[in-house]
Amino acid sequence: MISRITSTLVFATLVTAGNAHAQVRIVRDIPTALAVEAVAAAVADCSSKGYNVTGIVVDRAGQLKALQRADNAGPHSIDSSRKKAYTALTTKNSTMRLMENTQKNPAAANLVFINDFIALGGGVPIQVEGETIGAIGIGGAPGGHLDEQCAETGIAKIKDRLK
């Protein structure tokens, strides 16, 4: 009787384990070529307006995918653009909207103490069919709203090829 129960449990475990391994998770991520193109378009847009910025695209895991720094961009712009991209990715929201929301909600003020989190405009998630596959961050223009406009230009450049 015990061996029959044991063999039934072993069989059930094997069937369940087999089903778990049979499923493959499909993950979308921003391709390097599109990340490079988006960041180049964003930095070019800001440069055409006289803003020396750095642009960074991170992938869905928050890792650096592309970086471009305009001539004369401030040294702080590298770190701020990376944090903006990371924050936009992890919140699945623009950092401008996040900044506005944290200003309205005093309890949210502590969010800025999270590592690599920044509540300044200029970070925008890159999405496909509602799924965040990366984010772009721009830093160095004289205002987060200007950084964000350039980030949006970068995304617009590749939008039709995000599938």
Side-chain angles (χ1 to χ4, degrees):
M1 179 74 161
I2 291 180
S3 65
R4 188 175 192 184
I5 293 172
T6 302
S7 57
T8 303
L9 288 174
V10 169
F11 177 74
T13 302
L14 289 174
V15 169
T16 305
N19 287 340
H21 292 294
Q23 297 175 351
V24 175
R25 185 170 168 242
I26 298 173
V27 177
R28 290 182 179 175
D29 207 343
I30 184 155
T32 301
L34 291 182
V36 168
E37 193 174 336
V39 79
V43 172
D45 183 49
C46 270
S47 292
S48 74
K49 297 171 183 171
Y51 312 138
N52 301 316
V53 301
T54 296
I56 287 182
V57 172
V58 296
D59 64 15
R60 69 176 296 118
Q63 299 302 307
L64 179 68
K65 198 74 170 184
L67 179 149
Q68 188 171 37
R69 183 173 172 262
D71 293 337
N72 298 317
H76 66 282
S77 64
I78 295 171
D79 196 39
S80 68
S81 61
R82 184 188 58 78
K83 287 181 179 181
K84 290 176 184 185
Y86 181 80
T87 302
L89 173 82
T90 58
T91 62
K92 298 175 176 45
N93 213 332
S94 79
T95 55
M96 180 64 73
R97 188 172 300 137
L98 178 70
M99 180 185 74
E100 292 165 354
N101 290 341
T102 56
Q103 289 173 344
K104 294 175 190 172
N105 180 0
N110 288 326
L111 290 173
V112 297
F113 295 112
I114 298 171
N115 285 341
D116 294 328
F117 201 89
I118 193 166
L120 294 174
V124 181
I126 301 170
Q127 299 178 325
V128 175
E129 298 173 3
E131 182 179 357
T132 302
I133 63 165
I136 186 169
I138 305 297
H145 65 290
L146 301 171
D147 287 329
E148 189 146 327
Q149 289 171 6
C150 295
E152 291 285 358
T153 298
I155 294 172
K157 176 76 173 173
I158 63 168
K159 191 91 174 156
D160 62 330
R161 289 170 283 150
L162 292 173
K163 297 180 179 162

